[in-house]
Amino acid sequence: MPARRKTTGDVSSIDNRIRTNSEWSCLTKTEAELFNQKVLCRVYGVNETVFMEGDPCKGLYFVESGLVGVRKTDIEGQSALVRLAGPGDTLGYRPFLAKQSHRASAEVIEAAKVCFIDAQTARQLLHDNHELGLRFLERTARALGESEDRLFQLAALNVHVRVIHLLVLLHDRWGRSVGDGAVDIEIPLTRHDLASMVGARPETVSRAIRHLENEGLARFRGRNVHIEQFDRLAEELHANLSGLH
Amino acid sequence: MPARRKTTGDVSSIDNRIRTNSEWSCLTKTEAELFNQKVLCRVYGVNETVFMEGDPCKGLYFVESGLVGVRKTDIEGQSALVRLAGPGDTLGYRPFLAKQSHRASAEVIEAAKVCFIDAQTARQLLHDNHELGLRFLERTARALGESEDRLFQLAALNVHVRVIHLLVLLHDRWGRSVGDGAVDIEIPLTRHDLASMVGARPETVSRAIRHLENEGLARFRGRNVHIEQFDRLAEELHANLSGLH
DNA sequence: CGCCAGGTTGATTTCGCTCAAGCAATGTGG
DNA sequence: CCACATTGCTTGAGCGAAATCAACCTGGCG
């Protein structure tokens, strides 16, 4: 096998993506060129669907900007938000790697630029570049651990605590510090979506939110959240988490 | 076959393992020799611990025979059975691949022969053999899908249905057909373990079991289960599952 | 302006947990 | 062999968290 160490030096958003994304940063110049040649980018409007549950997995999607929601839908049309994907996140890698069809839909929440690489090319890169596979292996194994932890928590914690946990997670990824320990989270999620993320009903989440406001732990203004002292929230979470894991 | 081996116990079963186990069947002759040279086998008695939650992951374990339970334990000593591993199953591959420590303990339920390959050797094989990594990738991605499905179900289904689901899963892996659609499941699990597998309390599971008996769907004799018409059970499950996935 | 989806709030019900008692099955020491 | 712990399972009663049902806001928009 030829030596592969140099990565491409071109500067476009895709190259940037390849360089910054831990998984793809190991591509050689040639491989990166193939990637760039094959990648397709598109801007999606709000509520547009990137892929649907049940569809065969045609390739991998990279969110460049905006916000995409991953949902599972049951026959009655009730959808549950499973996770959020923003800039830098990859969509559809689980079905791609498992060689299965999509088990969830991806629906745009905030206008997003999403790039696509077809399965065949992705598989070729995976085949040519050994390191790439090993990186995906580690990422997938970690995701598996997280999923199992979540399972454990769902059974052990009540809604109030799960909502706090969700807020902390949302903060970690989407929070904007507004100085002196205060944080804003601005994600346009309906109460229904919020509820489905913690495995509860909207009414119950509504009450949990009211409770948080009464405690002065968070302030909800429509779909934005302001947390004056994030420490207190994190503390409250840890008090409930200890004795668990 | 040369007789020089560092293993305790006979090696033919290991070769068999390598050949039959989908992940490792791609090893070359040389690699298989390395594997055989490094593998260590041991017989564990009931209640013996293979590895503990929190321990660094020292390698991979293969269950040759017997039954091993994977558990998570909280600080109060309450343990929850997470999964069962029998002949052909691999233990500890998630922490190994994720380069993390064990997040669960493995405890022998029925006297078991377990083989071990150290992390360094396993990683070397993973590095040398490209195909091996890709196979683990697929397996891990599938496991991730299953874990996510389980999450979804825990939130959506009541205990009664979850118990039925567990019985169906146990049947698929451990069931013994006794003719004409009837099935026996003989796994020495306490009610407490059964309960933790479906995220419920023993009392609640006990009541669910009583309910199943009243419906004539299953008969519990101590820790053995007899299902006269497995079809009916599967049917009952699907009636509750449809409208979900 | 009225409409309406999304959000809140209250009343009621249900499910599953907790607590507690009783009951086999098994073990143990005298 | 019996008295008695011990352990795991079942059953009942009560309680609490969250779902369900239903009414009522609220704010954006044609």
Side-chain angles (χ1 to χ4, degrees), chain A residues 12 15 20-21 40 59 63 81-82 88 90 98 108 124 132 137 147 153 189 196 209 218 238 241 243:
Chain A
S12 73
D15 278 327
T20 50
N21 183 300
L40 293 168
V63 181
L81 195 56
V82 173
T90 309
V108 174
Q124 186 185 329
L132 185 63
L137 197 46
S147 177
Q153 285 185 7
L189 293 183
S196 67
I209 284 173
H238 275 89
L241 236 57

Side-chain angles (χ1 to χ4, degrees), chain B residues 17 61-68 85-89 91 112-115:
Chain B
R17 139 143 306 293
Y61 300 82
F62 309 100
V63 181
E64 289 284 313
S65 65
L67 187 66
V68 181
D89 288 328
L91 290 172
K113 183 176 172 194
V114 178
C115 297

Side-chain angles (χ1 to χ4, degrees), chain B residues 85-98:
Chain B
D89 288 328
T90 309
L91 290 172
Y93 76 97
R94 195 209 52 80
F96 167 73
L97 296 173

Side-chain angles (χ1 to χ4, degrees), chain B:
Chain B
M1 285 284 200
R4 151 209 66 85
R5 291 283 144 78
K6 272 196 83 174
T7 57
T8 58
D10 78 312
V11 179
S12 57
S13 72
I14 289 297
D15 279 329
N16 194 44
R17 139 143 306 293
I18 293 179
R19 277 204 314 281
T20 50
N21 184 300
S22 53
E23 275 87 30
W24 300 90
S25 62
C26 62
L27 292 193
T28 65
K29 198 174 170 71
T30 324
E31 287 160 355
E33 266 164 22
L34 173 65
F35 186 103
N36 285 334
Q37 186 191 324
K38 290 288 193 168
V39 80
L40 292 169
C41 294
R42 209 196 117 181
V43 173
Y44 291 78
V46 173
N47 288 330
E48 261 196 279
T49 297
V50 181
F51 54 78
M52 279 283 284
E53 193 171 346
D55 284 355
C57 176
K58 293 195 276 286
L60 291 172
Y61 300 82
F62 309 100
V63 181
E64 289 284 313
S65 65
L67 187 66
V68 181
V70 180
R71 322 178 157 276
K72 288 202 174 212
T73 316
D74 68 18
I75 284 174
E76 288 130 29
Q78 291 289 323
S79 80
L81 194 57
V82 173
R83 75 182 183 102
L84 291 169
D89 288 328
T90 309
L91 290 172
Y93 76 97
R94 195 209 52 80
F96 167 73
L97 296 173
K99 297 171 184 165
Q100 297 172 330
S101 14
H102 289 290
R103 293 213 200 163
S105 309
E107 190 186 303
V108 174
I109 295 176
E110 282 176 345
K113 183 176 172 194
V114 178
C115 297
F116 171 80
I117 188 115
D118 67 284
Q120 201 199 319
T121 306
R123 227 172 276 291
Q124 186 186 326
L125 289 169
L126 209 55
H127 242 91
D128 294 348
N129 190 319
H130 194 163
E131 178 67 16
L132 185 63
L134 292 178
R135 288 185 182 201
F136 266 108
L137 197 46
E138 185 173 340
R139 164 215 268 252
T140 310
R142 282 176 192 269
L144 180 55
E146 276 162 36
S147 176
E148 285 177 353
D149 280 355
R150 238 181 121 187
L151 204 62
F152 204 60
Q153 285 184 7
L154 185 59
L157 306 176
N158 63 24
V159 172
H160 181 71
V161 181
R162 300 210 299 271
V163 168
I164 295 180
H165 191 210
L166 177 61
L167 285 180
V168 170
L169 291 180
L170 289 177
H171 157 266
D172 292 345
R173 174 74 227 258
W174 308 98
R176 223 191 48 210
S177 172
V178 288
D180 202 34
V183 181
D184 274 3
I185 305 174
E186 296 174 20
I187 311 181
L189 292 182
T190 65
R191 287 286 184 272
H192 180 268
D193 279 342
L194 227 45
S196 68
M197 288 195 89
V198 297
R201 301 277 116 194
E203 297 96 321
T204 309
V205 170
S206 201
R207 289 182 239 269
I209 284 173
R210 162 138 305 265
H211 197 222
L212 284 178
E213 297 218 320
N214 288 341
E215 289 177 303
L217 282 171
R219 220 174 61 232
F220 287 73
R221 284 284 164 77
R223 293 176 184 177
N224 297 331
V225 191
H226 176 80
I227 302 166
E228 193 53 39
Q229 302 155 269
F230 183 74
D231 300 348
R232 283 184 60 206
L233 201 69
E235 203 178 299
E236 173 100 3
L237 178 64
H238 276 91
N240 289 286
L241 237 57
S242 66
L244 200 80
H245 174 246

Side-chain angles (χ1 to χ4, degrees), chain A residues 158-159 201 203-204 207:
Chain A
N158 62 26
V159 172
R201 301 276 115 193
E203 298 96 320
T204 309
R207 289 182 239 268

